[in-house]
């Protein structure tokens, strides 16, 4: 079997597959494919019960749930090295979330049938899937409980920290996101988010502009988020 490409190997080394022996990884990759996704495109829509298991190689992806009134709530951000869909491998229920690329993204799409067969035969693969699923369950519980009791300002600060990337190459953290997108992500409305952003800007934690929101003092923003650096994910 051909060894994984460097970017795949790097992503695996950051994921819960990192402890697997090379032969196990190569067997998991049987029938896998690389998929490129354009920014703002939906990778997987809400609904449907088809299983999937993907490894993000490049870009930024978000997982969202929706309300009956059309509002969207981001419950997870995925960066290179993150796995997506482990729970769908063994849960034949309608998918209660959608997956969308925020930036241009590329992922490695595993064959669910191959992954399940390898898990049946290889305890190390089964353990990796259990670890991944357990982390996701705990992460989602932490996300929902944190959001349920957080103020809008705390949710906005948390959202900006999750979203910020070094877009400039200088180390400056920038969240290239609109006020409306923030409102959808935190489950609020634009007018309330505008007030929260003004408070964060007045406190010196952020600067706003056409290119996005610059995190001028990330540590201060962590204080406003009420969640701290060691929050589970």
């Amino acid at each position: 079997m051909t060894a994984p490409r460097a970017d795949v190997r790097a992503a695996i080394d950051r994921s819960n597959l990192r402890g697997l022996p090379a032969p196990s990884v190569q067997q998991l990759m049987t029938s896998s494919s690389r998929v490129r996704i354009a920014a703002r495109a939906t990778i997987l829509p809400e609904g449907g019960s088809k299983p999937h298991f993907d490894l993000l190689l490049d870009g930024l992806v978000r997982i969202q749930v929706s309300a009956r009134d059309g509002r969207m709530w981001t419950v997870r951000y995925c960066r290179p090295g993150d796995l997506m869909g482990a729970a769908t491998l063994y849960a034949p229920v309608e998918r209660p979330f959608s997956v969308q690329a925020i930036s241009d993204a590329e992922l490695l799409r595993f064959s669910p049938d191959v992954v399940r067969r390898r898990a049946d035969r290889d305890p190390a693969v089964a353990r990796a899937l259990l670890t991944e699923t357990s982390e996701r369950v705990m992460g989602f519980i932490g996300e929902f409980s944190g959001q349920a009791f957080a103020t809008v300002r705390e949710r906005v600060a948390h959202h900006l920290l999750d979203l910020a990337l070094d877009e400039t190459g200088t180390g400056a953290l920038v969240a290239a996101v609109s006020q409306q997108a923030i409102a959808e992500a935190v489950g609020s409305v634009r007018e309330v988010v505008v007030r929260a952003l003004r408070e964060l800007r007045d406190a010196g934690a952020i600067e706003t502009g056409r290119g996005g929101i610059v995190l001028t003092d990330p540590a201060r923003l962590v204080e406003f988020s009420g969640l701290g650096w060691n929050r589970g994910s």
Side-chain angles (χ1 to χ4, degrees), residues 1 22 120 182 203 205 232:
M1 294 183 180
D120 288 342
I182 295 174

Side-chain angles (χ1 to χ4, degrees), residues 2-229:
T2 304
R5 287 168 49 172
D7 60 341
V8 174
R9 183 73 259 176
I12 288 174
D13 287 344
R14 290 193 292 268
S15 76
N16 279 320
L17 303 179
R18 59 185 173 272
L20 295 178
S24 295
V25 171
Q26 291 177 326
Q27 289 166 346
L28 278 178
M29 290 179 61
T30 302
S31 300
S32 65
S33 59
R34 298 172 71 103
V35 180
R36 291 203 62 84
I37 310 294
R40 295 178 295 281
T42 297
I43 300 172
L44 290 167
E46 188 171 338
S49 58
K50 187 177 180 179
H52 70 99
F53 188 57
D54 304 322
L55 173 66
L56 189 59
L57 304 177
D58 187 40
L60 184 65
V61 167
R62 65 183 174 187
I63 297 176
Q64 296 181 304
V65 294
S66 63
R68 291 182 178 178
D69 60 7
R71 287 181 299 162
M72 304 296 292
W73 183 12
T74 300
V75 295
R76 184 189 177 199
Y77 287 99
C78 301
R79 295 180 173 84
D82 284 342
L83 292 164
M84 299 177 289
T88 71
L89 294 173
Y90 298 96
V93 296
E94 186 172 288
R95 186 169 47 249
F97 57 84
S98 61
V99 184
Q100 181 187 54
I102 296 176
S103 64
D104 290 343
E106 185 170 14
L107 54 87
L108 182 70
R109 177 152 288 167
F110 295 90
S111 163
D113 289 338
V114 170
V115 174
R116 285 186 296 232
R117 284 199 301 268
R118 293 313 311 167
D120 288 342
R121 301 172 185 175
D122 188 340
V125 173
R127 184 165 53 250
L129 293 180
L130 284 170
T131 299
E132 172 65 20
T133 304
S134 297
E135 287 185 5
R136 295 285 66 78
V137 169
M138 297 303 291
F140 286 136
I141 290 173
E143 185 70 33
F144 281 113
S145 63
Q147 293 288 329
F149 300 111
T151 65
V152 171
R153 188 176 68 180
E154 287 173 335
R155 297 201 299 269
V156 168
H158 169 210
H159 182 67
L160 293 176
L161 286 163
D162 273 346
L163 191 58
L165 296 171
D166 178 9
E167 298 282 6
T168 63
T170 64
L173 292 175
V174 180
V177 62
S178 68
Q179 294 171 344
Q180 181 59 40
I182 295 174
E184 292 175 357
V186 304
S188 185
V189 295
R190 184 176 179 276
E191 292 74 15
V192 177
V193 166
V194 168
R195 290 198 296 270
L197 290 172
R198 185 183 304 119
E199 293 173 0
L200 295 174
R201 186 180 62 237
D202 292 344
I206 64 171
E207 290 181 359
T208 57
R210 290 187 177 180
I213 299 172
V214 180
L215 277 57
T216 53
D217 190 343
R220 181 73 169 137
L221 201 59
V222 169
E223 295 177 8
F224 278 110
S225 76
L227 298 173
W229 288 115

